[in-house]
Amino acid sequence: MATSLARKPIIPRTPKAVRGPTCIQANIKYTNDMIALRRITPTDTCDWERFIALYIESFPEKERRPIDSLEHLASACDMFKAEVIETEHGFAGFLTHWDLGEFIYGEHFAVSAQIRGGGIGGHVIDMFTSRFDKTIVLEAETATDDMSRRRLGFYARHGFIAAPYPYAQPAYSPQQKPVPMHLLSYGRQLSEEEFNAIRSKIYKTVYNIAEQ
């Protein structure tokens, strides 16, 4: 999947259109009580603009869904949630995820460049996983270089385990190709039967395709 949850985003540049009073202070060590996750929709204009700006700048086109699709899902799909990460200093990032019944699927996750290194990403992941009493899965790039190995290490430190079965993020559009990934699960490794069932449901519900 073009999941953000699974990959460390490209360092974004804050666009002038959404630069405002919500400046983030660097070099702060964040704790859980300093962070909040809040659901948004396109009607939350300022929050939505910040979310979209960071989303576009954090992920290459092949790893993100079209903006009109995001708007539709956030407005009309009960299974899908777009949430902003907030601190006392304002907007700090975002997290999108799906409740697919038997499991939760994390699709995209990004933290503002100004506050990386303060531990906020780890705190957000820990807050996210503590919410649910069901299986949680997300995607991560295969370990092809130092950066992708570091991303896998980040999720491993926070309890995610890669399934030992082939997986690819389906393309978000007909012009794109599938992207090789790992499917990670929180707290335990998926059995092959679980993996196949979860992959099928993600492909069908999130990407609207049959098995690849």
Side-chain angles (χ1 to χ4, degrees):
M1 98 185 167
T3 265
S4 67
L5 259 188
R7 60 186 58 58
K8 187 173 182 179
I10 300 166
I11 294 177
R13 303 174 303 279
T14 306
K16 292 181 180 179
V18 298
R19 186 177 295 145
T22 56
C23 268
I24 302 296
Q25 293 186 8
N27 302 319
I28 295 176
K29 294 299 181 183
Y30 288 89
T31 59
N32 284 3
D33 60 357
M34 299 169 68
I35 302 165
L37 291 168
R38 179 170 57 84
R39 187 176 187 177
I40 63 168
T41 71
T43 60
D44 303 303
T45 307
C46 290
D47 290 322
W48 190 259
E49 288 177 353
R50 293 184 178 97
F51 159 51
I52 294 299
L54 183 57
Y55 179 74
I56 290 173
E57 295 197 36
S58 296
F59 298 93
E61 186 176 3
K62 67 179 181 179
E63 296 176 8
R64 64 178 193 254
R65 66 173 58 250
I67 302 305
D68 59 350
S69 173
L70 266 181
E71 292 175 346
H72 171 74
L73 289 172
S75 300
C77 180
D78 290 339
M79 293 183 292
F80 178 84
K81 288 185 179 180
E83 297 184 299
V84 291
I85 304 164
E86 295 179 314
T87 74
E88 61 183 342
H89 303 294
F91 175 82
F94 68 85
L95 171 65
T96 68
H97 58 93
W98 296 71
D99 187 335
L100 296 178
E102 300 85 357
F103 64 95
I104 301 296
Y105 167 67
E107 187 171 13
H108 288 94
F109 170 45
V111 172
S112 296
Q114 300 97 314
I115 55 171
R116 291 185 201 141
I120 191 170
H123 286 298
V124 171
I125 289 297
D126 292 343
M127 291 172 64
F128 177 66
T129 55
S130 69
R131 286 177 168 183
F132 306 105
D133 59 359
K134 60 177 74 175
T135 299
I136 302 171
V137 300
L138 53 83
E139 298 163 346
E141 290 174 311
T142 56
T144 56
D145 54 25
D146 183 61
M147 185 60 72
S148 56
R149 285 189 287 271
R150 288 172 59 191
R151 291 167 190 151
L152 286 170
F154 168 80
Y155 287 106
R157 290 193 299 276
H158 291 277
F160 283 89
I161 302 168
Y165 313 110
Y167 184 85
Q169 172 217 297
Y172 276 109
S173 74
Q175 296 75 33
Q176 298 167 351
K177 296 180 179 180
V179 182
M181 294 277 180
H182 290 294
L183 186 67
L184 311 182
S185 55
Y186 178 69
R188 63 183 182 84
Q189 188 174 90
L190 299 175
S191 69
E192 186 170 9
E193 182 178 1
E194 288 175 310
F195 172 85
N196 288 334
I198 286 172
R199 180 180 60 186
S200 294
K201 190 155 193 177
I202 290 172
Y203 281 12
K204 180 179 179 180
T205 307
V206 176
Y207 295 98
N208 197 31
I209 62 170
E211 287 282 353
Q212 293 188 339

